[in-house]
Amino acid sequence: MNNNPSPSKAQTLASRRQFLSGNLSIAYKNPLKLVRGEMQYLYDDEGRQFLDAYNNVAHVGHCHPRVVKAAQDQMAVLNTNTRYLSDQIINYAERLTATLPGSLNVCFFVNSGSEANELALRLARTHTGSRDLVVLDHAYHGNTTTMIDISPYKHDGPGGSGPPAWVHKVPLPDLYRGLYRAEDEQASEKYVSHVSEVVERIGRGNRDNLCGFIAESLPSVGGQIELPESYLGAVYREIRAAGGVCIADEVQTGYGRIGKHFWGFESYGVTPDIVVLGKPIGNGHPIGAVVTTREIASSFENGMEFFSTFGGNNVSCAIGVEVLNLVLEEELESHAMAVGDLMLAGLRELMSRHEIMGDVRGSGMFLGVELVKNRDTREPATAKADAVVNGMRDSGILLGTDGPFHNVLKIRPPMPFNRTDADRLVSTLDEILCAFSVSL
Ligand code: PMP
């Protein structure tokens, strides 16, 4: 079988079961064997084109020729590590920090979002001399041992064994499905009060305990959630008053995706102490980054060298700079806003006709459609969401689900996704939901 230059899909599936862990999930009932990508499109082994509406890693487009060329050119010349002087890493750090508030001006480069979040936690702990962390329920911050500890989505899910004592989980401020909802004018304050409760319990100003707070600026795995406007500002004040630092996980939400701002945290008028970047900044090449203040970075200069063999290598930096060039030159932030608005309008029109659509939310190219069995009880329509995603796949459009009940359609396409693609997504979703109502 292994000598066959192009095994069939069934053979690939069988070999995968033989050689890889069953713990790796496969998307769709009819799995995709992808062989090529180009901007917002992916192609399978039979040459069929799929419109990619959720792989946000390929931020400027799958296999963008300029990113490919930057990688190829640099790979042919030099690829080594941060122990040698190089202008490339400095240029990248300078370009990256120029997109961030002035206080965030020291960069660390690693290879993944998990690794970046690990480093963020180490920075917070070293700076504060404390250990405990406040996290949002349903959050996901990575696959390493410590990241599973701070990710309720994993440690409270199948196979998980709950959080360790140093992790303090507070309710996800989800105004649609959460503990306090949009109708409640005090919802934001009530969500903040859970953070205050942890701070009081641990001890305000007691630097022996609380090292900080971490949250995605728009929780993605939690279900494509926009936080209440005043929430992060109030939480940051509480955490800082208790001696902690505030970490923004922008792995999913940065680089113009939300349209109205370059970074997710800017939506709430806050400035984190540490920002964590990943996925889109390398457009598929494994780059993670942590950007922090000089003060926090200085605390980390405690004699223990920080070294990541591949983090900040010449090829990664060349790719990182070219991705950033493209985001800015192609004005992808305003493009995301325009196409996102069009898609939101289309989805809201569908919502007026399809009872199953309980909520449509998000901003730019970071959208969620929550499917429910009943709009009053908001019972999650998990099986239907799965059927919709599979139906869309069969119609040539790739979507995924998110949220604690896997009933939220996540729409986070590569940024070249355009108006025609948006119209196609909305009309195909309409057809699939109409077919559902007929079959009921
Ligand atoms: N943070 C967030 C918000 C993520 O969504 C992810 C990955 N899904 C990570 C961190 C971890 O990134 P990686 O898989 O690159 O380690």
Side-chain angles (χ1 to χ4, degrees):
M1 184 193 309
N2 283 337
N3 297 329
N4 185 338
S6 52
S8 71
K9 197 158 92 175
Q11 285 169 326
T12 302
L13 196 57
S15 304
R16 175 171 162 127
R17 291 202 175 111
Q18 186 181 352
F19 294 109
L20 303 184
S21 162
N23 194 299
L24 300 173
S25 72
I26 302 178
Y28 308 115
K29 289 206 167 67
N30 180 6
L32 279 172
K33 184 171 178 183
L34 295 174
V35 295
R36 189 165 73 82
E38 190 181 344
M39 305 311 276
Q40 67 271 47
Y41 302 108
L42 289 164
Y43 297 84
D44 75 3
D45 56 339
E46 290 168 0
R48 182 170 180 201
Q49 184 194 68
F50 291 87
L51 173 61
D52 185 357
Y54 84 116
N55 283 295
N56 55 342
V57 173
H59 195 69
V60 299
H62 289 281
C63 307
H64 193 295
R66 276 182 50 188
V67 179
V68 172
K69 182 162 188 330
Q72 286 172 334
D73 287 354
Q74 185 59 44
M75 194 126 35
V77 176
L78 176 72
N79 195 22
T80 183
N81 65 65
T82 52
R83 288 201 178 114
Y84 308 102
L85 294 184
S86 155
D87 293 323
Q88 277 160 320
I89 190 169
I90 296 167
N91 179 32
Y92 187 25
E94 199 174 347
R95 295 285 310 281
L96 206 49
T97 53
T99 68
L100 285 157
S103 58
L104 295 165
N105 50 23
V106 184
C107 299
F108 296 84
F109 294 105
V110 289
N111 311 114
S112 69
S114 304
E115 206 187 334
N117 272 324
E118 283 278 353
L119 177 58
L121 183 58
R122 281 185 63 199
L123 286 165
R125 284 179 165 176
T126 309
H127 182 66
T128 61
S130 301
R131 186 194 55 169
D132 288 24
L133 189 72
V134 180
V135 304
L136 295 184
D137 200 3
H138 307 301
Y140 178 69
H141 296 293
N143 61 45
T144 58
T145 305
T146 311
M147 289 306 105
I148 298 298
D149 282 347
I150 72 165
S151 299
Y153 170 73
K154 289 287 182 191
H155 65 230
D156 287 341
S161 48
W166 58 268
V167 171
H168 306 277
K169 184 175 72 177
V170 292
L172 174 68
D174 172 355
L175 292 174
Y176 178 72
R177 171 174 298 287
L179 209 50
Y180 316 112
R181 298 182 174 178
E183 315 77 73
D184 183 347
E185 284 181 6
Q186 304 298 311
S188 184
E189 289 82 353
K190 289 180 180 171
Y191 280 119
V192 175
S193 73
H194 290 265
V195 178
S196 316
E197 187 275 318
V198 173
V199 168
E200 291 301 331
R201 185 153 39 84
I202 293 180
R204 187 178 291 275
N206 179 356
R207 290 176 64 100
D208 292 342
N209 278 309
L210 190 69
C211 83
F213 167 82
I214 187 169
E216 280 190 273
S217 303
L218 290 89
S220 50
V221 169
Q224 303 283 106
I225 308 287
E226 285 183 288
L227 300 172
E229 228 173 283
S230 61
Y231 178 79
L232 270 194
V235 168
Y236 278 20
R237 276 192 296 279
E238 287 281 338
I239 296 292
R240 286 172 176 153
V245 301
C246 302
I247 306 170
D249 182 336
E250 289 274 347
V251 164
Q252 300 267 9
T253 48
Y255 264 40
R257 173 157 298 280
I258 64 165
K260 53 188 174 190
H261 295 287
F262 197 81
W263 300 105
F265 62 78
E266 291 176 291
S267 305
Y268 315 106
V270 298
T271 300
D273 304 300
I274 303 175
V275 175
V276 173
L277 318 179
K279 294 187 194 279
I281 67 170
N283 210 54
H285 180 81
I287 310 179
V290 180
V291 190
T292 189
T293 63
R294 175 57 66 189
E295 195 192 346
I296 293 175
S298 298
S299 302
F300 200 55
E301 291 169 25
N302 61 359
M304 183 192 287
E305 182 203 15
F306 175 75
F307 181 64
S308 163
T309 302
F310 302 119
N313 71 63
N314 308 76
V315 171
S316 295
C317 290
I319 290 171
V321 167
E322 195 64 342
V323 173
L324 193 49
N325 286 341
L326 286 160
V327 171
L328 300 176
E329 282 172 33
E330 297 187 351
E331 297 179 355
L332 293 180
E333 182 181 334
S334 54
H335 173 75
M337 190 83 253
V339 177
D341 278 350
L342 187 78
M343 210 152 27
L344 273 176
L347 292 168
R348 290 197 170 122
E349 192 281 318
L350 289 194
M351 191 174 156
S352 70
R353 291 186 285 113
H354 296 288
E355 276 291 302
I356 191 173
M357 295 171 72
D359 193 31
V360 169
R361 55 181 174 251
S363 166
M365 297 228 207
F366 185 90
L367 306 181
V369 179
E370 178 139 5
L371 302 186
V372 292
K373 288 185 180 166
N374 176 310
R375 282 194 181 173
D376 295 324
T377 63
R378 302 188 182 179
E379 191 185 339
T382 304
K384 281 272 162 57
D386 185 56
V388 168
V389 161
N390 278 289
M392 293 290 283
R393 175 248 180 263
D394 294 340
S395 300
I397 300 180
L398 304 184
L399 284 180
T401 57
D402 246 338
F405 303 99
H406 306 284
N407 66 321
V408 181
L409 306 178
K410 62 173 165 189
I411 305 173
R412 304 195 290 245
M415 301 277 268
F417 192 91
N418 60 32
R419 288 162 192 270
T420 311
D421 300 325
D423 286 341
R424 184 175 155 206
L425 184 148
V426 171
S427 60
T428 309
L429 183 60
D430 189 20
E431 280 163 26
I432 284 172
L433 294 178
C434 284
F436 273 6
S437 11
V438 170
S439 67
L440 278 177

